[in-house]
Amino acid sequence: MAAAPEDRTVVAVFAKAPIPGHTKTRLIALLGAEGAADLQRALIQRTLLTATSTGVGRVELWCAPGTDHPFLLECAQRFGIPLRAQCEGDIGQRMLAAATDVLHRARNLILLGTDCPALTQTDLEQSVAALDGEHQAAFLPVEDGGYTLIALSRVDPT
């Protein structure tokens, strides 16, 4: 693959539309359906603000279940970013599809969730630096055993 990527780095933010009763479902008992959706809105905005203000790459909002939710459309306009639809399937399948798509267009991918308000610009900058150095992947783990950030310079489904 000798084609030159259009972007050095793309920051793909994965987000569920803030639909009451369908997002942050484990918190509905505590916050109510509307409160959980409000939290989702705040987390998406916080992540997009961090990602766009860093300047490490072009930011894209990868949306589920689709790109037509009014809040997501508002985010695209406010932050000047494109919306992309996540494919069907489990989170691994959706991440693989996004990574494959992005890495056909860019040298590096930073894949973010929206559930980590502690994410900083430095986290993003260090991830890009790792990929621009000798690494093909970088991860930012969280206490629950997952990751808030996965940075890749190549796709390997295994």
Side-chain angles (χ1 to χ4, degrees):
M1 291 176 110
E6 84 180 43
D7 290 304
R8 180 176 145 233
T9 300
V10 169
V11 180
V13 177
F14 262 41
K16 283 177 127 179
I19 301 168
H22 296 278
T23 189
K24 300 284 169 239
T25 55
R26 289 180 289 198
L27 295 175
I28 290 174
L30 181 65
L31 302 175
E34 282 296 330
D38 288 344
L39 176 61
Q40 178 71 353
R41 285 183 195 89
L43 289 169
I44 292 170
Q45 287 178 347
R46 169 79 169 94
T47 303
L48 290 174
L49 181 61
T50 300
T52 56
S53 63
T54 302
V56 297
R58 187 164 57 91
V59 177
E60 299 176 350
L61 184 57
W62 285 75
C63 310
T67 59
D68 59 351
H69 189 278
F71 174 78
L72 301 176
L73 293 167
E74 177 187 312
C75 285
Q77 184 174 21
R78 175 180 174 198
F79 292 99
I81 59 173
L83 300 179
R84 306 258 189 221
Q86 293 180 34
C87 69
E88 295 292 321
D90 65 33
I91 189 66
Q93 293 167 318
R94 291 180 285 146
M95 289 168 59
L96 176 60
T100 301
D101 177 86
V102 168
L103 289 173
H104 276 84
R105 303 181 279 113
R107 186 170 30 157
N108 298 325
L109 162 69
I110 298 176
L111 181 60
L112 301 176
T114 59
D115 287 351
C116 188
L119 179 75
T120 67
Q121 293 179 356
T122 301
D123 296 327
L124 298 173
E125 292 164 352
Q126 289 176 343
S127 297
V128 170
L131 296 178
D132 285 346
E134 61 186 57
H135 302 286
Q136 296 178 343
F139 300 88
L140 182 61
V142 290
E143 290 179 15
D144 71 359
Y147 300 93
T148 192
L149 175 155
I150 298 174
L152 303 170
S153 63
R154 70 181 189 95
V155 177
D156 182 349
T158 59

